[in-house]
């Protein structure tokens, strides 16, 4: 049985990793309680009372641990992943996997030298049933050839509950690196693109003057030989929305289009994971809430077989590269320019 541990419990996405691997049949054998968000560690304790708290060094030195999950402060994720890979572990990292080009180069070098896997869990595709269903429909040719993706990633700020690093540009890497990496992953995946280029990007601080280095808005225009993509991400989810964000994705094809309303349908339907398919036959609404998630099952198999079925290493690195380039090249608009 595959055995895994968790280090860097600084973001709630660590629970996607833990729950996903457990559902895939892996064994949770330890976690490091060091964290900038103690409440997250308390939740791990309550949910997994039989799992021991162990120092990072001990977990990394344990040769019986196959995989390490990492959701540390973003700027620390690459360094922890490199250390874990050098210790013989495969890693699942929360997005963003890297926050600088130097980190990306170091991760690439480590993967090549160690043969270990560096997988980034882009949860807005891999942990969302409607996004999984959309991938299957695209693969089946339900909308013909994909021409464009439009990805919207709004989030609720909830500033009072955020740790101090959340507003530190060096720590979170910028809004495009931090959030839009999700939508860049989706653009490459749904268009079937091995690579892409950044046509234009912008970031801004429109509503958070008390944190001048913070970015509460970002947008990216992407292009590849297969199609184009537009991305908008922000921290402007209003208090009246009964969830953290109205995340949406539109996939345009030559024979139809798909729209995902991932977390809520403000049109009035209950629940999450609403998929709308429009084609030559008409308009259909598909409830995807029971669609199985296969990323973690595939990842566990990849660890055993040394394959890349869950996600190719090239794809991970291309998402990281495009995110960093879009962030670096972004024009600053509206409000005070970040450092």
């Amino acid at each position: 049985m595959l055995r895994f541990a968790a280090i860097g419990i600084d973001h709630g996405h660590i629970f996607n990793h833990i729950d996903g691997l457990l559902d895939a049949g892996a064994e949770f054998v330890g976690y490091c309680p060091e964290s900038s968000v103690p409440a997250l560690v308390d939740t791990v304790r309550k949910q997994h009372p039989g799992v021991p708290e162990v120092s990072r060094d001990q977990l990394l030195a344990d040769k019986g641990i196959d995989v390490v999950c990492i959701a540390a402060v973003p700027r620390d994720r690459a360094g922890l992943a490199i250390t874990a890979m050098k210790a013989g572990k495969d890693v699942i990292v929360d997005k963003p996997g890297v926050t600088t080009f130097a980190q990306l180069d170091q991760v690439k070098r480590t993967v090549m030298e160690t043969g270990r896997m560096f997988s980034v869990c882009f949860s807005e595709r891999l942990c969302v049933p409607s996004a999984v269903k959309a991938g299957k429909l695209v693969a089946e040719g339900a909308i013909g050839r994909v021409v464009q993706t439009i990805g919207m990633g709004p989030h609720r700020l909830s500033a009072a509950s955020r740790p101090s690093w959340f507003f530190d540009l060096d720590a979170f890497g910028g809004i495009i690196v931090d959030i839009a990496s999700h939508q860049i992953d989706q653009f490459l995946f749904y268009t079937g693109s091995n690579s892409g280029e950044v046509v234009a990007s912008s970031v801004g601080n429109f509503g958070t003057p008390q944190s001048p280095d913070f970015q509460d808005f970002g947008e990216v225009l992407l292009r590849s030989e297969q199609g184009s993509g537009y991305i908008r991400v922000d921290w402007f989810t209003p208090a009246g929305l009964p969830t953290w964000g109205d995340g949406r994705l539109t996939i345009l094809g030559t024979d139809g289009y798909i729209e995902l309303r991932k977390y809520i349908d403000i049109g009035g339907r209950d629940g999450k994971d609403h998929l709308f398919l429009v084609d030559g036959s008409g308009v259909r609404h598909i409830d995807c809430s029971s669609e199985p998630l296969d990323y973690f099952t595939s990842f566990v198999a990849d660890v055993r077989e040394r394959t890349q079925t869950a996600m190719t290493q090239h794809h991970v690195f291309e998402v990281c590269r495009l995110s960093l380039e879009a962030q670096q090249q972004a024009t600053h608009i509206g409000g005070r320019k970040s450092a």
Side-chain angles (χ1 to χ4, degrees):
M1 178 183 290
L2 182 147
R3 304 171 79 243
F4 74 95
I7 61 177
I9 303 175
D10 296 276
H11 195 291
H13 285 161
I14 195 68
F15 298 108
N16 292 132
H17 306 174
I18 293 171
D19 295 343
L21 286 171
L22 286 170
D23 289 344
E27 181 184 4
F28 187 21
V29 298
Y31 62 94
C32 174
E34 182 180 339
S35 172
S36 63
V37 188
L40 292 176
V41 179
D42 288 340
T43 300
V44 175
R45 289 190 185 106
K46 292 175 183 176
Q47 293 184 354
H48 306 280
V51 178
E53 298 180 24
V54 185
S55 73
R56 289 182 181 179
D57 289 344
Q58 287 178 288
L59 291 172
L60 293 172
D62 187 340
K63 296 186 182 302
I65 293 176
D66 305 291
V67 172
V68 170
C69 302
I70 300 169
V73 175
R75 68 178 165 206
D76 298 332
R77 292 172 188 173
L80 289 170
I82 288 168
T83 301
M85 287 188 287
K86 288 183 177 180
K89 321 297 184 190
D90 295 307
V91 297
I92 294 179
V93 185
D94 183 23
K95 62 78 210 166
V98 301
T99 57
T100 67
F101 283 106
Q103 289 180 357
L104 179 56
D105 289 341
Q106 292 163 3
V107 168
K108 285 183 175 180
R109 190 179 314 118
T110 304
V111 168
M112 184 176 296
E113 291 173 352
T114 64
R116 296 293 99 190
M117 296 180 190
F118 177 81
S119 188
V120 177
C121 181
F122 297 107
S123 57
E124 290 194 26
R125 174 171 66 89
L126 301 171
C127 300
V128 173
S130 58
V132 174
K133 178 64 174 179
K136 294 177 180 178
L137 289 171
V138 167
E140 293 167 2
I143 58 172
R145 176 183 174 184
V146 174
V147 175
Q148 184 200 43
T149 62
I150 301 177
M152 306 295 186
H155 287 62
R156 177 171 288 134
L157 185 58
S158 301
S161 66
R162 302 291 183 175
S164 59
W165 60 260
F166 180 84
F167 298 97
D168 181 348
L169 183 61
D170 177 66
F172 72 87
I175 192 170
I176 293 174
V177 165
D178 183 32
I179 300 180
S181 53
H182 281 303
Q183 285 73 30
I184 292 172
D185 158 71
Q186 291 168 64
F187 161 74
L188 292 175
F189 177 75
Y190 292 111
T191 61
S193 301
N194 289 322
S195 63
E197 63 176 309
V198 178
V199 179
S201 57
S202 59
V203 296
N205 183 331
F206 290 87
T208 324
Q210 68 275 20
S211 301
D213 285 344
F214 189 64
Q215 297 167 355
D216 53 26
F217 175 86
E219 60 180 349
V220 184
L221 180 62
L222 299 170
R223 179 170 57 207
S224 74
E225 292 184 357
Q226 284 67 42
S228 70
Y230 174 75
I231 295 164
R232 190 205 79 211
V233 290
D234 65 76
W235 288 100
F236 294 129
T237 294
L241 191 77
T243 189
W244 58 268
D246 185 7
R248 299 198 189 189
L249 174 70
T250 300
I251 307 169
L252 174 65
T254 55
D255 298 326
Y257 65 90
I258 291 169
E259 181 187 338
L260 304 185
R261 300 183 185 182
K262 297 180 178 179
Y263 313 115
I264 188 172
D265 176 20
I266 61 171
R269 291 178 177 85
D270 292 335
K272 304 186 294 183
D273 288 297
H274 302 277
L275 185 152
F276 298 87
L277 172 63
V278 185
D279 59 16
S281 300
V283 180
R284 279 188 288 159
H285 167 260
I286 302 174
D287 178 357
C288 302
S289 56
S290 61
E291 187 72 24
L293 305 176
D294 52 16
Y295 164 73
F296 292 99
T297 301
S298 297
F299 179 82
V300 168
D302 287 340
V303 171
R304 291 174 178 149
E305 306 296 331
R306 309 317 296 171
T307 50
Q308 297 184 33
T309 62
M311 180 184 299
T312 68
Q313 195 64 79
H314 171 81
H315 177 85
V316 173
F317 291 153
E318 186 66 4
V319 175
C320 292
R321 180 187 71 81
L322 288 170
S323 300
L324 292 168
E325 287 189 3
Q327 184 71 54
Q328 183 182 69
Q329 298 171 15
T331 298
H332 291 261
I333 59 175
R336 182 170 176 175
K337 179 178 177 180
S338 299

